[in-house]
Amino acid sequence: MRKHAMVCSIQLALLSMAAPALAQSAQDQPQQLDTVQVTGSRIPRAQVEGPAPVTVVTAEDIKSAGFTSVPDVLRGLSQNNGYTQGQQNTTGAQSTPGAQAVDLRGLGPNHTLVLINGRRTADFPLPLNGKSNFTDVGNIPLGMIDRIEVLTGSASAVYGSDAMAGVINFILKKSTDGTTVDYRYGDTSRGGGESHDLTLTTGFEQGNFSGIVGVELQNQRPLWGTRRGVQDSTLDAPTSRSRLPFLVARLYDWDEDVAVAPVGDCAGLAGLNDGTTVLAEDRYGEPYCGSDRIAAYRTIQNERKGATAYGSFEYRFNDNLSWFADAQLGHQKVKLMTGNGGNSFPSDNMGWEFHDPASTDNVDKIFYNEASGRYEIWQRQFSPEEVGGLRNRMNTTTQKTLALTTGFKGAFGENWNWEAAYNHSQYKADVAMPRIDAVAANRFFLGERLGYDDDGYAIYNADPTRLFSVLTPAETASFLAMSTFHPEAKNDNISFTADTPALFSMPAGDAGFAGVLEFGRQSYDINPDPLATTAAAYYGPQYGDGSGSRNRWSAAGELRLPLASNLQASLAGRYDRYSFGNRHPGKFTYSAGLEWRPLDTLLVRGSYGTGFRAPDMHYLFAGDDYYRKVSTDYYQCRQDEPGFSNGECWDEGDWDTNTLDIYAGNKQLDVETSKSFTAGFVWSPVAGFDLAVDYYKIKVMNQVQSQDRELLRITEANCRLGVTDTGQAVDVNSPTCVDALARVIRDADGTITSVHFAPINIAREETSGIDVTGNYRLETAAAGNFNFTGTYTWAHRHTRQLYPGDPTEDMLDVSFSDTTLPRVKSNLGVSWDKGAWGASLFGTYLGRVANYDNDAWTEATWRFNAGARYDITDHLRVSLTVNNLFDKMPPKDSTWAAYPYYNTSWFDAIGRSYFVQVTWKLGGKAL
């Protein structure tokens, strides 16, 4: 069914190529819309454009643009220009395996509020990078989506906390006629990553009872790094150092500070890693056994298998009362594999090196070997042949999601509508991470521990032949382990909403009003493997815990005021109050907007709003989490070398020590606040054409940021010495000094053993820019109908300041220390249809981003998707989609020495992929 807009307005900005255009009646008179609910306002209204820009992506738009998953759709949004961790990101894969996030305006995934059918949903139960919470968009069923509505900018006054960067509302299907079966097969032209997707939807209407039910089945096979020539070995690396083979086995003599020649010059291991294991030398000329193939033992694209069921039901008691319910149930199993060490260390899921869990002094992984009379370090990486195949060492996350909304809605009086609803959502996961049993591996390679020497080093009588010999899968199984977490998150909300289009009359018309009362409860629990939280059980990192809950209540109201026949104002206010422990932080937020239509074909608009975020759950309730680090002792350095600067202490390295730093939550955190402003116009001079241009500016204050451990050690030195390295006096009794001295922990000998750090409200971030959206529809009798669309986002400014007194960092500058954000992101599309035939072309543009060394730009890139369809009958359609039509690989970066040798935040090496889809509708209207 075609959409129409009032001539004095403009349709919502659409992402895809198939956007319907504005339509005028033959007499050029405004055409009235049916009342619809639009994200950005709770008031149903006939005008689809309001004071703040909203982007809408429909199910047909998604198909036309060639997107095959929700993360793909969101990556195509020009407003989604933030750094998000791709499927190859090692840190993200370890901390939040299988989850995928969205980052509007580059303000961080935790600053974007994600809704399903206008309701909040449970977070992914593990924190991103061990710090912040976010919503996983990877398990939202694409086949069940009716449309996606995206409102950028602060929306806290309408939706409450978390909506600082914007709101993404996934509207699932509410009705259907007949039964529709969709089957899609996908594969890649370079091989790997085959997929199958089957969606079945059907509806019913029995008297006053109606509903829709659907199920989506998904089977996505993994794509391994070994299948792509640009990253199948270290030989693809850009520098000589990074081209060195990854470590397989090495024995290091600590006394002489040299590596010992491998037994048999690695001949015993030569058959491993598909025969690529050889005798190699590191950058210092030290020998070890290595393989260039190990680097590629990772997944470019995750394996995902699962099913999602969805139902939406309504029973109408009479014209003024009905019951409704929406339910979604999902079960997904996601498998992936992260990094596998390097040329100087083994990975924690496929490798081992000795460390004595019983000794707190031996942090350098050194033991005394009676057989050789040396202090030694042993390191070993296990090959696919030894572990029974790579699939045995994949991270496996079983995602179990449930969302249920039910309630009553109706009408009373002359113009009032109301709704009372209860919403429950939960996200449970079983996260299985391969690990190495430290005690069992120590015993297998070194034998029984014989005691400790006077310096605290463990004593063994170990034969190095064991280190350089091939192991059978049964032997490795004796010390391989699977560490399983059972995290869960829940969100419960009760709400009552009432609205009316005519609260009172004004000279220019009736004033609309909507009000809402809400009460919610949010909770999470990481439920880690108890052994993973200790240093004794597994080789590799020690994980932390976290759990907590909080309550929230809120009251909000919104007014739409017709000030004149061509001028309308919007006002909204909301108060939210949280309760946890003995604290009750709350915040009032407001927003205001104006819509001025000096001409039927022109809308001038603007909005201003304040926002806030309650601290992330894990920022508040994180238990102790552990980070091993080589730390500079600035106090000892400046005491030993008066006049040394902090930079000289760090450069010298003579005052480096190994620390086990501890991160914990902070229940005293305050809320973050923001200000947001938009201004622009929407112009539709002729039927079929519209143009929207909007300026945006968002400023976030009091932002939560983890304390800088380096800065804490510098501050501790200043406080102990009473002076900075530049000679400025320091008050040892100041709150800053009291805090730093308490957080930097030293032993009885004065050596730093740990830094205890936490999140604090301290950072600021600001972004501004311009969004441009254009659509044009051309209808011809002979050649068919053409749709042209384009979106363009230009970031004028994006800055941050992590700590007071720090310089303001330009996040768009090539020298920015973290991943640089693109200044420009845009897309262009064209689609054509004539009778039974249709075709489309959609291109996404990503502006330049910094290289690895932050001293030059990588080139801007285009990626194109193409599609074609043919309707065999009006109820049977076959379509073909080709993504990355020209098979573009990531741009080369001669400085990106870390595998996979390109920026995984923005690129992947999947290459060209194709999808064949058959849609069959039984009964109902034509497709």
Side-chain angles (χ1 to χ4, degrees):
M1 183 178 68
R2 288 192 54 167
K3 303 179 206 158
H4 300 277
M6 299 177 67
V7 172
C8 61
S9 180
I10 185 174
Q11 68 187 76
L12 294 171
L14 294 178
L15 169 65
S16 86
M17 296 112 16
L22 287 168
Q24 289 178 296
S25 66
Q27 295 79 22
D28 284 341
Q29 294 298 314
Q31 188 165 356
Q32 189 70 23
L33 275 170
D34 293 333
T35 297
V36 294
Q37 184 84 16
V38 179
T39 295
S41 172
R42 294 183 181 274
I43 301 174
R45 62 193 188 276
Q47 300 182 32
V48 295
E49 276 291 345
V54 178
T55 298
V56 175
V57 187
T58 69
E60 289 303 314
D61 302 332
I62 292 170
K63 290 181 179 179
S64 183
F67 298 126
T68 57
S69 71
V70 169
D72 286 344
V73 177
L74 299 182
R75 275 192 291 269
L77 291 171
S78 61
Q79 302 95 329
N80 181 22
N81 57 353
Y83 158 72
T84 53
Q85 297 177 337
Q87 297 185 55
Q88 297 182 85
N89 183 279
T90 300
T91 303
Q94 290 175 338
S95 65
T96 52
Q100 298 181 70
V102 60
D103 185 0
L104 292 178
R105 301 301 189 202
L107 293 172
N110 57 339
H111 289 83
T112 298
L113 176 62
V114 176
L115 306 173
I116 297 180
N117 289 336
R119 318 287 180 177
R120 289 173 178 262
T121 185
D123 291 330
F124 187 76
L126 291 175
L128 185 67
N129 294 329
K131 301 292 194 303
S132 61
N133 300 104
F134 70 103
T135 301
D136 176 20
V137 298
N139 67 352
I140 296 175
L142 185 70
M144 301 295 165
I145 292 175
D146 179 68
R147 67 187 186 276
I148 304 170
E149 300 175 349
V150 182
L151 169 66
T152 54
S154 177
S156 291
V158 177
Y159 291 102
S161 184
D162 302 332
M164 295 178 80
V167 179
I168 299 179
N169 190 9
F170 292 90
I171 309 297
L172 304 186
K173 295 176 180 177
K174 293 291 186 180
S175 63
T176 185
D177 59 325
T179 299
T180 303
V181 180
D182 260 314
Y183 169 72
R184 185 182 71 234
Y185 168 81
D187 209 341
T188 61
S189 61
R190 295 174 182 250
E194 178 184 329
S195 66
H196 303 265
D197 192 285
L198 177 65
T199 302
L200 172 67
T201 56
T202 189
F204 64 89
E205 187 164 356
Q206 300 283 339
N208 292 337
F209 187 37
S210 61
I212 178 176
V213 293
V215 63
E216 181 174 17
L217 306 177
Q218 187 178 14
N219 185 349
Q220 170 73 60
R221 296 182 181 177
L223 175 58
W224 293 90
T226 54
R227 299 296 299 270
R228 293 296 178 266
V230 297
Q231 62 180 86
D232 62 353
S233 77
T234 58
L235 300 179
D236 301 307
T239 66
S240 57
R241 178 178 173 182
S242 58
R243 283 192 290 269
L244 293 173
F246 273 29
L247 181 147
V248 174
R250 171 162 49 194
L251 193 159
Y252 196 80
D253 181 345
W254 180 253
D255 290 323
E256 298 297 327
D257 196 21
V258 295
V260 177
V263 174
D265 289 339
C266 304
L269 303 176
L272 297 182
N273 303 298
D274 291 328
T276 62
T277 304
V278 297
L279 177 64
E281 291 184 352
D282 64 17
R283 60 188 175 123
Y284 303 109
E286 304 288 347
Y288 67 101
C289 302
S291 165
D292 59 62
R293 180 67 57 83
I294 293 175
Y297 293 157
R298 316 187 194 194
T299 46
I300 298 174
Q301 183 171 269
N302 300 338
E303 175 181 305
R304 182 181 288 267
K305 296 180 180 180
T308 302
Y310 171 72
S312 181
F313 310 96
E314 182 179 13
Y315 184 82
R316 296 169 295 282
F317 297 99
N318 52 52
D319 291 341
N320 294 321
L321 180 64
S322 61
W323 166 84
F324 66 90
D326 297 332
Q328 180 185 339
L329 182 65
H331 188 282
Q332 306 277 334
K333 181 169 287 188
V334 181
K335 289 189 173 185
L336 56 96
M337 193 162 183
T338 60
N340 288 291
N343 55 34
S344 61
F345 57 92
S347 69
D348 60 292
N349 67 334
M350 286 277 286
W352 164 87
E353 63 182 345
F354 170 76
H355 75 96
D356 186 2
S359 173
T360 58
D361 295 325
N362 184 18
V363 294
D364 290 320
K365 303 177 176 59
I366 305 163
F367 70 93
Y368 179 74
N369 192 351
E370 279 191 348
S372 63
R374 298 185 298 238
Y375 287 94
E376 297 177 346
I377 298 174
W378 284 25
Q379 300 172 305
R380 184 68 151 82
Q381 182 85 16
F382 309 115
S383 69
E385 296 90 344
E386 293 175 304
V387 299
L390 290 176
R391 292 184 61 85
N392 288 337
R393 306 306 288 165
M394 297 177 79
N395 283 1
T396 302
T397 302
T398 302
Q399 304 170 347
K400 295 166 282 188
T401 56
L402 170 66
L404 173 66
T405 300
T406 187
F408 295 89
K409 61 183 179 181
F412 63 93
E414 292 186 5
N415 293 304
W416 282 91
N417 301 305
W418 63 273
E419 178 191 277
Y422 166 70
N423 166 247
H424 168 78
S425 63
Q426 65 182 43
Y427 197 134
K428 295 184 178 181
D430 298 320
V431 182
M433 295 181 288
R435 300 297 298 271
I436 302 296
D437 185 317
V439 173
N442 290 349
R443 184 181 299 113
F444 179 87
F445 283 102
L446 307 178
E448 295 295 335
R449 186 176 61 225
L450 304 179
Y452 292 92
D453 68 9
D454 294 340
D455 295 321
Y457 292 101
I459 303 171
Y460 291 89
N461 187 351
D463 181 0
T465 303
R466 170 79 79 170
L467 184 65
F468 297 100
S469 298
V470 173
L471 307 182
T472 66
E475 288 175 318
T476 56
S478 68
F479 52 79
L480 298 182
M482 194 66 72
S483 177
T484 303
F485 289 47
H486 301 282
E488 61 179 334
K490 296 180 181 179
N491 203 323
D492 291 271
N493 291 278
I494 299 173
S495 64
F496 178 81
T497 304
D499 66 76
T500 176
L503 182 66
F504 55 85
S505 295
M506 298 177 67
D510 293 333
F513 170 79
V516 61
L517 294 173
E518 292 181 332
F519 175 80
R521 180 174 177 82
Q522 185 180 14
S523 64
Y524 88 114
D525 194 340
I526 290 180
N527 288 320
D529 174 1
L531 296 178
T533 62
T534 68
Y538 303 122
Y539 163 69
Q542 182 178 346
Y543 288 90
D545 198 354
S547 64
S549 64
R550 63 186 181 192
N551 296 331
R552 173 184 60 87
W553 70 265
S554 60
E558 182 182 1
L559 280 169
R560 289 183 64 82
L561 304 171
L563 304 180
S565 61
N566 62 353
L567 181 64
Q568 184 166 246
S570 301
L571 296 174
R574 183 184 183 104
Y575 182 78
D576 289 81
R577 184 179 177 90
Y578 285 79
S579 296
F580 52 89
N582 296 319
R583 299 195 61 216
H584 307 280
K587 188 71 177 177
F588 175 77
T589 55
Y590 65 90
S591 65
L594 281 175
E595 304 163 52
W596 178 44
R597 293 178 170 85
L599 304 170
D600 284 347
T601 58
L602 179 65
L603 164 67
V604 180
R605 62 188 177 187
S607 66
Y608 176 83
T610 61
F612 90 107
R613 285 195 71 252
D616 284 320
M617 294 282 284
H618 198 63
Y619 279 144
L620 296 169
F621 301 112
D624 289 347
D625 203 357
Y626 304 91
Y627 298 82
R628 294 189 180 273
K629 181 178 176 61
V630 177
S631 303
T632 301
D633 188 335
Y634 294 98
Y635 168 68
Q636 292 289 357
C637 170
R638 287 165 52 193
Q639 189 177 53
D640 294 345
E641 296 289 344
F644 260 38
S645 68
N646 293 324
E648 289 172 315
C649 292
W650 189 88
D651 289 335
E652 288 288 333
D654 293 337
W655 292 273
D656 287 352
T657 184
N658 292 280
T659 61
L660 182 63
D661 298 341
I662 301 175
Y663 172 86
N666 179 5
K667 294 181 182 179
Q668 302 306 311
L669 287 171
D670 199 359
V671 299
E672 299 179 350
T673 60
S674 71
K675 298 177 181 179
S676 175
F677 171 73
T678 66
F681 66 87
V682 182
W683 183 46
S684 51
V686 296
F689 173 74
D690 60 73
L691 176 69
V693 179
D694 290 282
Y695 169 81
Y696 68 88
K697 183 176 182 179
I698 305 173
K699 185 177 182 180
V700 181
M701 294 79 71
N702 214 30
Q703 198 174 32
V704 176
Q705 173 70 28
S706 294
Q707 289 176 300
D708 188 311
R709 289 174 280 170
E710 200 81 15
L711 180 59
L712 282 171
R713 284 183 277 108
I714 290 173
T715 303
E716 186 247 8
N718 294 340
C719 297
R720 285 182 176 275
L721 296 170
V723 65
T724 68
D725 63 336
T726 60
Q728 184 177 353
V730 174
D731 180 7
V732 69
N733 295 314
S734 67
T736 298
C737 281
V738 171
D739 182 67
L741 291 170
R743 291 185 178 280
V744 179
I745 311 301
R746 295 178 179 271
D747 62 18
D749 297 328
T751 302
I752 296 178
T753 59
S754 181
V755 176
H756 292 219
F757 64 112
I760 55 177
N761 293 98
I762 203 165
R764 294 186 302 157
E765 192 167 349
E766 183 176 330
T767 183
S768 61
I770 294 175
D771 292 325
V772 180
T773 302
N775 298 284
Y776 177 60
R777 179 175 176 85
L778 176 65
E779 298 182 356
T780 69
N785 302 324
F786 296 86
N787 289 281
F788 302 89
T789 187
T791 68
Y792 176 87
T793 294
W794 176 72
H796 167 249
R797 178 180 173 87
H798 198 133
T799 62
R800 75 175 186 185
Q801 183 187 47
L802 294 183
Y803 298 93
D806 283 358
T808 298
E809 298 177 279
D810 183 356
M811 298 175 71
L812 302 174
D813 188 76
V814 69
S815 62
F816 179 61
S817 57
D818 290 343
T819 298
T820 303
L821 302 178
R823 186 178 293 275
V824 175
K825 193 176 179 186
S826 63
N827 51 64
L828 290 172
V830 58
S831 65
W832 164 82
D833 68 88
K834 180 176 172 58
W837 293 91
S840 62
L841 182 67
F842 183 84
T844 301
Y845 176 83
L846 177 71
R848 62 185 189 177
V849 293
N851 66 358
Y852 186 84
D853 284 352
N854 294 106
D855 60 5
W857 296 104
T858 58
E859 62 187 33
T861 58
W862 277 99
R863 295 290 184 271
F864 289 92
N865 297 344
R869 63 144 177 99
Y870 175 67
D871 292 342
I872 300 173
T873 70
D874 60 2
H875 280 64
L876 180 62
R877 173 177 296 170
V878 62
S879 57
L880 171 67
T881 299
V882 181
N883 288 351
N884 195 351
L885 180 64
F886 301 108
D887 199 25
K888 293 290 188 180
M889 289 289 106
K892 292 186 179 298
D893 182 350
S894 60
T895 67
W896 204 282
Y899 187 87
Y901 318 121
Y902 56 82
N903 190 337
T904 58
S905 303
W906 307 109
F907 309 108
D908 61 57
I910 295 174
R912 183 189 298 112
S913 54
Y914 57 87
F915 302 89
V916 178
Q917 183 163 332
V918 177
T919 304
W920 184 27
K921 190 172 183 183
L922 294 85
K925 297 179 181 178
L927 289 168

